[in-house]
């Protein structure tokens, strides 16, 4: 049995997955824009619903691809004499996977979790800004700016970050190029990477644990404009 057409279909489905990922990235940026421009909470909530819809599509697509892959592997393993009904076999496996769906699956989608995390950080950032605006006359402005800028400095380069990434494990941020360079160097030496932030005990920083810190980047850009 030739599976070339099946492989081609799987490749197309993986392209669809990249469109879903792009859509989720755009929805996250739009939600952050809405918070930044003090838009109605209802608008932000609508973006969260969009994210959940994307997460549902992503889950369905993953189940369908898994059903195809498991069916193909089963046929290759069993080597039946007669050509089986691929369509029905895939349909059955897909239905079995979908029957186990729950709302919590969507909440655990990686991009949805990133969306929620960045939204929380953005709201926190704007509460801080709002509080600073109210208290600006009562404090030394230079000290306030200095404290704010401390969070913008990369612990590796000791310079202001341009593309900050946050470690999902310990929560610390670094300049993307700088931390990836260290990870690559240590990998060649077959050594683990300790978090460069002073006092952090996390001793195994991985590239897969790093996510763009869009909120911090916006805060740095905003500070520089001022």
């Amino acid at each position: 049995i030739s599976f070339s057409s099946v492989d081609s279909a799987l490749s197309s489905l993986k392209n669809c997955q990249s469109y879903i990922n792009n859509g989720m990235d755009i929805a996250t940026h739009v939600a952050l824009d809405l918070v930044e421009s003090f838009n109605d909470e209802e608008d932000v909530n609508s973006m969260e619903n969009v994210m959940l819809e994307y997460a549902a599509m992503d889950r369905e697509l993953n189940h369908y691809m898994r059903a195809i892959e498991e069916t193909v592997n089963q046929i290759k393993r069993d080597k039946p004499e007669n050509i089986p009904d691929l369509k029905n076999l895939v349909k059955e496996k897909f239905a079995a996977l979908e029957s186990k769906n729950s709302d919590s699956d969507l909440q655990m989608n990686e991009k949805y979790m990133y969306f929620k995390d960045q939204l929380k950080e953005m709201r926190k950032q704007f509460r801080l800004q709002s509080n600073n605006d109210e208290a600006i006359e009562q404090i030394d402005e230079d000290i306030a700016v200095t404290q704010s800028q401390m969070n913008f400095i990369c612990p590796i380069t000791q310079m202001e970050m341009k593309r900050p990434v946050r470690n999902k494990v310990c929560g610390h941020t670094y300049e993307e190029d700088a931390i990836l360079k260290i990870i690559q160097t240590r990998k060649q030496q077959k050594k683990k990477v300790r978090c460069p932030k002073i006092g952090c005990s996390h001793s195994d920083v991985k590239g897969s644990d790093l996510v763009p810190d869009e909120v911090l980047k916006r805060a740095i850009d905003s500070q520089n404009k001022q």
Side-chain angles (χ1 to χ4, degrees):
I1 302 169
S2 172
F3 293 105
S4 57
S5 58
V6 176
D7 292 337
S8 174
L10 273 174
S11 179
S12 298
L13 288 174
K14 281 170 184 170
N15 283 338
C16 290
Q17 201 162 36
S18 71
Y19 296 139
I20 291 173
N21 287 336
N22 287 340
M24 293 181 96
D25 289 341
I26 291 167
T28 301
H29 282 277
V30 170
L32 295 179
D33 286 341
L34 290 169
V35 175
E36 200 168 11
S37 56
F38 300 101
N39 263 56
D40 194 290
E41 189 70 16
E42 194 177 321
D43 292 334
V44 179
N45 289 340
S46 72
M47 294 317 299
E48 183 169 352
N49 291 333
V50 167
M51 288 295 288
L52 288 169
E53 286 173 21
Y54 272 125
M57 282 191 278
D58 186 57
R59 178 180 63 188
E60 189 175 343
L61 193 57
N62 278 325
H63 283 170
Y64 194 62
M65 289 194 292
R66 186 176 157 191
I68 293 171
E69 286 166 351
E70 285 183 3
T71 302
V72 168
N73 288 337
Q74 183 185 328
I75 292 168
K76 284 179 178 176
R77 192 170 56 247
D78 297 346
K79 296 177 181 173
E81 288 181 18
N82 299 317
I83 296 174
D85 188 336
L86 275 174
K87 190 175 178 181
N88 269 344
L89 284 173
V90 169
K91 200 173 178 181
E92 284 170 16
K93 284 189 183 291
F94 176 68
L97 290 167
E98 286 283 292
S99 68
K100 296 173 185 172
N101 286 350
S102 71
D103 289 342
S104 61
D105 297 339
L106 306 182
Q107 308 282 339
M108 295 302 290
N109 177 283
E110 197 171 328
K111 288 215 175 256
Y112 175 76
M113 288 167 69
Y114 176 72
F115 168 87
K116 292 290 284 181
D117 177 66
Q118 289 286 284
L119 210 55
K120 185 178 81 176
E121 290 298 315
M122 195 69 170
R123 283 172 172 147
K124 196 193 297 178
Q125 184 80 28
F126 271 82
R127 276 199 299 275
L128 285 172
Q129 278 189 17
S130 173
N131 292 341
N132 280 345
D133 289 343
E134 290 168 14
I136 204 77
E137 293 173 9
Q138 301 166 28
I139 59 174
D140 185 334
E141 191 173 343
D142 290 338
I143 292 173
V145 170
T146 304
Q147 286 174 342
S148 171
Q149 287 175 336
M150 284 293 284
N151 300 324
F152 301 166
I153 303 299
C154 170
I156 304 165
T157 64
Q158 294 302 310
M159 294 171 68
E160 186 177 88
M161 290 179 274
K162 291 184 173 65
R163 289 168 62 90
V165 289
R166 184 161 48 80
N167 191 323
K168 290 189 288 185
V169 179
C170 63
H172 293 127
T173 51
Y174 334 97
E175 181 63 55
E176 184 178 35
D177 289 345
I179 188 66
L180 289 178
K181 196 171 180 181
I182 289 177
I183 291 171
Q184 184 60 32
T185 304
R186 291 283 197 280
K187 190 178 178 182
Q188 289 168 353
Q189 298 168 346
K190 295 183 179 175
K191 292 180 181 176
K192 291 182 178 180
V193 179
R194 176 174 284 279
C195 175
K197 188 78 174 177
I198 294 171
C200 183
S201 60
H202 182 47
S203 60
D204 190 11
V205 179
K206 295 185 177 76
S208 56
D209 292 330
L210 305 175
V211 291
D213 197 326
E214 178 65 25
V215 174
L216 183 58
K217 185 179 185 306
R218 286 171 184 240
I220 292 169
D221 291 344
S222 173
Q223 182 74 48
N224 288 336
K225 281 176 189 171
Q226 289 172 16

